[in-house]
PDB file of all heavy atoms in Angstrom:
ATOM      1  N   ALA E 111     -39.214 -12.999  77.098  1.00 98.00           N
ATOM      2  CA  ALA E 111     -39.180 -13.988  76.017  1.00 98.00           C
ATOM      3  C   ALA E 111     -38.107 -15.002  76.170  1.00 98.00           C
ATOM      4  O   ALA E 111     -38.304 -16.207  75.841  1.00 98.00           O
ATOM      5  CB  ALA E 111     -38.995 -13.274  74.663  1.00 98.00           C
ATOM      6  N   PHE E 112     -37.011 -14.553  76.781  1.00 98.00           N
ATOM      7  CA  PHE E 112     -35.960 -15.484  77.218  1.00 98.00           C
ATOM      8  C   PHE E 112     -36.139 -15.616  78.746  1.00 98.00           C
ATOM      9  O   PHE E 112     -36.073 -14.566  79.424  1.00 98.00           O
ATOM     10  CB  PHE E 112     -34.558 -14.972  76.859  1.00 98.00           C
ATOM     11  CG  PHE E 112     -33.449 -15.897  77.262  1.00 98.00           C
ATOM     12  CD1 PHE E 112     -33.129 -16.941  76.357  1.00 98.00           C
ATOM     13  CD2 PHE E 112     -32.749 -15.814  78.405  1.00 98.00           C
ATOM     14  CE1 PHE E 112     -32.138 -17.805  76.708  1.00 98.00           C
ATOM     15  CE2 PHE E 112     -31.782 -16.721  78.721  1.00 98.00           C
ATOM     16  CZ  PHE E 112     -31.430 -17.779  77.840  1.00 98.00           C
ATOM     17  N   ASP E 113     -36.253 -16.806  79.205  1.00 98.00           N
ATOM     18  CA  ASP E 113     -36.508 -17.000  80.642  1.00 98.00           C
ATOM     19  C   ASP E 113     -35.997 -18.369  81.095  1.00 98.00           C
ATOM     20  O   ASP E 113     -36.576 -19.421  80.675  1.00 98.00           O
ATOM     21  CB  ASP E 113     -37.955 -16.846  80.966  1.00 98.00           C
ATOM     22  CG  ASP E 113     -38.242 -16.677  82.479  1.00 98.00           C
ATOM     23  OD1 ASP E 113     -37.369 -17.251  83.247  1.00 98.00           O
ATOM     24  OD2 ASP E 113     -39.203 -16.029  82.876  1.00 98.00           O
ATOM     25  N   ILE E 116     -37.967 -21.579  82.654  1.00 98.00           N
ATOM     26  CA  ILE E 116     -38.794 -22.603  81.951  1.00 98.00           C
ATOM     27  C   ILE E 116     -38.472 -24.002  82.354  1.00 98.00           C
ATOM     28  O   ILE E 116     -39.073 -24.978  81.847  1.00 98.00           O
ATOM     29  CB  ILE E 116     -38.738 -22.439  80.385  1.00 98.00           C
ATOM     30  CG1 ILE E 116     -37.187 -22.379  80.025  1.00 98.00           C
ATOM     31  CG2 ILE E 116     -39.440 -21.233  79.833  1.00 98.00           C
ATOM     32  CD1 ILE E 116     -36.781 -23.575  79.234  1.00 98.00           C
ATOM     33  N   ASP E 167     -33.037 -23.656  83.676  1.00 98.00           N
ATOM     34  CA  ASP E 167     -32.469 -24.453  82.635  1.00 98.00           C
ATOM     35  C   ASP E 167     -31.637 -23.504  81.908  1.00 98.00           C
ATOM     36  O   ASP E 167     -32.137 -22.582  81.233  1.00 98.00           O
ATOM     37  CB  ASP E 167     -33.601 -25.061  81.801  1.00 98.00           C
ATOM     38  CG  ASP E 167     -33.050 -25.758  80.545  1.00 98.00           C
ATOM     39  OD1 ASP E 167     -31.810 -25.798  80.362  1.00 98.00           O
ATOM     40  OD2 ASP E 167     -33.928 -26.154  79.749  1.00 98.00           O
ATOM     41  N   GLY E 169     -29.887 -24.125  79.271  1.00 98.00           N
ATOM     42  CA  GLY E 169     -29.652 -24.605  77.837  1.00 98.00           C
ATOM     43  C   GLY E 169     -29.585 -23.514  76.769  1.00 98.00           C
ATOM     44  O   GLY E 169     -29.051 -23.714  75.786  1.00 98.00           O
ATOM     45  N   GLY E 170     -30.215 -22.395  77.028  1.00 98.00           N
ATOM     46  CA  GLY E 170     -30.243 -21.307  76.074  1.00 98.00           C
ATOM     47  C   GLY E 170     -29.016 -20.364  76.273  1.00 98.00           C
ATOM     48  O   GLY E 170     -28.975 -19.333  75.413  1.00 98.00           O
ATOM     49  N   LYS E 173     -24.036 -22.849  76.103  1.00 98.00           N
ATOM     50  CA  LYS E 173     -23.143 -23.126  75.004  1.00 98.00           C
ATOM     51  C   LYS E 173     -22.412 -21.809  74.621  1.00 98.00           C
ATOM     52  O   LYS E 173     -21.192 -21.850  74.310  1.00 98.00           O
ATOM     53  CB  LYS E 173     -23.939 -23.684  73.799  1.00 98.00           C
ATOM     54  CG  LYS E 173     -24.541 -25.015  74.001  1.00 98.00           C
ATOM     55  CD  LYS E 173     -24.985 -25.646  72.725  1.00 98.00           C
ATOM     56  CE  LYS E 173     -25.944 -26.716  72.879  1.00 98.00           C
ATOM     57  NZ  LYS E 173     -27.306 -26.303  73.255  1.00 98.00           N
ATOM     58  N   SER E 241     -30.354 -20.083  66.403  1.00 96.00           N
ATOM     59  CA  SER E 241     -31.397 -20.935  67.114  1.00 96.00           C
ATOM     60  C   SER E 241     -32.391 -21.298  65.971  1.00 96.00           C
ATOM     61  O   SER E 241     -32.911 -20.458  65.256  1.00 96.00           O
ATOM     62  CB  SER E 241     -32.156 -20.076  68.153  1.00 96.00           C
ATOM     63  OG  SER E 241     -31.425 -20.042  69.345  1.00 96.00           O
ATOM     64  N   HIS E 257     -37.732 -27.256  70.585  1.00 94.00           N
ATOM     65  CA  HIS E 257     -37.275 -26.970  71.931  1.00 94.00           C
ATOM     66  C   HIS E 257     -37.137 -25.597  72.376  1.00 94.00           C
ATOM     67  O   HIS E 257     -36.699 -25.221  73.429  1.00 94.00           O
ATOM     68  CB  HIS E 257     -35.904 -27.635  72.063  1.00 94.00           C
ATOM     69  CG  HIS E 257     -34.822 -27.037  71.311  1.00 94.00           C
ATOM     70  ND1 HIS E 257     -35.010 -26.504  70.033  1.00 94.00           N
ATOM     71  CD2 HIS E 257     -33.524 -26.686  71.614  1.00 94.00           C
ATOM     72  CE1 HIS E 257     -33.853 -25.983  69.659  1.00 94.00           C
ATOM     73  NE2 HIS E 257     -33.001 -26.077  70.547  1.00 94.00           N
ATOM     74  N   ILE E 258     -37.608 -24.581  71.504  1.00 96.00           N
ATOM     75  CA  ILE E 258     -37.639 -23.180  71.923  1.00 96.00           C
ATOM     76  C   ILE E 258     -39.087 -22.815  72.366  1.00 96.00           C
ATOM     77  O   ILE E 258     -40.022 -22.861  71.547  1.00 96.00           O
ATOM     78  CB  ILE E 258     -37.129 -22.251  70.900  1.00 96.00           C
ATOM     79  CG1 ILE E 258     -35.626 -22.721  70.529  1.00 96.00           C
ATOM     80  CG2 ILE E 258     -37.167 -20.786  71.346  1.00 96.00           C
ATOM     81  CD1 ILE E 258     -35.084 -22.012  69.329  1.00 96.00           C
ATOM     82  N   LEU E 259     -39.247 -22.580  73.625  1.00 97.00           N
ATOM     83  CA  LEU E 259     -40.589 -22.383  74.206  1.00 97.00           C
ATOM     84  C   LEU E 259     -40.932 -20.955  74.429  1.00 97.00           C
ATOM     85  O   LEU E 259     -40.095 -20.162  74.794  1.00 97.00           O
ATOM     86  CB  LEU E 259     -40.667 -23.192  75.485  1.00 97.00           C
ATOM     87  CG  LEU E 259     -40.287 -24.646  75.523  1.00 97.00           C
ATOM     88  CD1 LEU E 259     -40.342 -25.285  76.890  1.00 97.00           C
ATOM     89  CD2 LEU E 259     -41.201 -25.420  74.491  1.00 97.00           C
ATOM     90  N   PRO E 261     -42.285 -18.714  77.058  1.00 98.00           N
ATOM     91  CA  PRO E 261     -42.472 -18.812  78.525  1.00 98.00           C
ATOM     92  C   PRO E 261     -43.939 -18.453  78.921  1.00 98.00           C
ATOM     93  O   PRO E 261     -44.302 -18.855  80.029  1.00 98.00           O
ATOM     94  CB  PRO E 261     -41.413 -17.888  79.065  1.00 98.00           C
ATOM     95  CG  PRO E 261     -40.419 -17.698  78.019  1.00 98.00           C
ATOM     96  CD  PRO E 261     -41.248 -17.770  76.689  1.00 98.00           C
ATOM     97  N   ASP E 284     -26.003 -15.932  72.024  1.00 98.00           N
ATOM     98  CA  ASP E 284     -26.787 -17.177  72.198  1.00 98.00           C
ATOM     99  C   ASP E 284     -28.129 -16.954  72.726  1.00 98.00           C
ATOM    100  O   ASP E 284     -29.145 -17.321  72.113  1.00 98.00           O
ATOM    101  CB  ASP E 284     -25.884 -18.153  73.072  1.00 98.00           C
ATOM    102  CG  ASP E 284     -26.522 -19.479  73.229  1.00 98.00           C
ATOM    103  OD1 ASP E 284     -27.575 -19.746  72.628  1.00 98.00           O
ATOM    104  OD2 ASP E 284     -25.972 -20.300  74.026  1.00 98.00           O
ATOM    105  N   THR E 288     -32.253 -17.103  70.869  1.00 98.00           N
ATOM    106  CA  THR E 288     -33.405 -17.761  71.424  1.00 98.00           C
ATOM    107  C   THR E 288     -34.541 -16.763  71.723  1.00 98.00           C
ATOM    108  O   THR E 288     -35.704 -17.051  71.380  1.00 98.00           O
ATOM    109  CB  THR E 288     -32.997 -18.489  72.696  1.00 98.00           C
ATOM    110  OG1 THR E 288     -31.794 -19.241  72.506  1.00 98.00           O
ATOM    111  CG2 THR E 288     -34.063 -19.411  73.260  1.00 98.00           C
TER     112      THR E 288
HETATM  113  P1  LIG A 401     -29.708 -24.817  70.940  1.00 60.52           P
HETATM  114  O1  LIG A 401     -29.649 -25.389  72.339  1.00 60.52           O
HETATM  115  O2  LIG A 401     -30.172 -25.828  69.926  1.00 60.52           O
HETATM  116  O3  LIG A 401     -28.432 -24.085  70.590  1.00 60.52           O
HETATM  117  P2  LIG A 401     -31.009 -22.442  71.821  1.00 60.52           P
HETATM  118  O4  LIG A 401     -29.768 -21.793  71.987  1.00 60.52           O
HETATM  119  O5  LIG A 401     -32.006 -21.663  71.156  1.00 60.52           O
HETATM  120  O6  LIG A 401     -30.861 -23.779  70.988  1.00 60.52           O
HETATM  121  O7  LIG A 401     -31.503 -22.947  73.203  1.00 60.52           O
HETATM  122  C1  LIG A 401     -32.629 -23.711  73.371  1.00 60.52           C
HETATM  123  C2  LIG A 401     -32.571 -24.322  74.724  1.00 60.52           C
HETATM  124  O8  LIG A 401     -32.831 -23.215  75.674  1.00 60.52           O
HETATM  125  C3  LIG A 401     -33.613 -25.310  75.024  1.00 60.52           C
HETATM  126  O9  LIG A 401     -33.182 -26.633  74.777  1.00 60.52           O
HETATM  127  C4  LIG A 401     -33.969 -25.071  76.485  1.00 60.52           C
HETATM  128  O10 LIG A 401     -32.996 -25.742  77.286  1.00 60.52           O
HETATM  129  C5  LIG A 401     -33.790 -23.553  76.623  1.00 60.52           C
HETATM  130  N1  LIG A 401     -34.915 -22.715  76.265  1.00 60.52           N
HETATM  131  C6  LIG A 401     -36.005 -23.056  75.496  1.00 60.52           C
HETATM  132  N2  LIG A 401     -36.843 -21.973  75.380  1.00 60.52           N
HETATM  133  C7  LIG A 401     -36.344 -20.995  76.191  1.00 60.52           C
HETATM  134  C8  LIG A 401     -36.716 -19.624  76.530  1.00 60.52           C
HETATM  135  N3  LIG A 401     -37.873 -19.150  76.021  1.00 60.52           N
HETATM  136  N4  LIG A 401     -35.872 -19.002  77.360  1.00 60.52           N
HETATM  137  C9  LIG A 401     -34.713 -19.493  77.822  1.00 60.52           C
HETATM  138  N5  LIG A 401     -34.338 -20.723  77.539  1.00 60.52           N
HETATM  139  C10 LIG A 401     -35.040 -21.500  76.743  1.00 60.52           C
END
Side-chain angles (χ1 to χ4, degrees):
F112 184 83
D113 193 331
I116 49 113
D167 170 4
K173 293 193 197 77
S241 279
H257 71 317
I258 301 170
L259 306 176
D284 183 8
T288 309

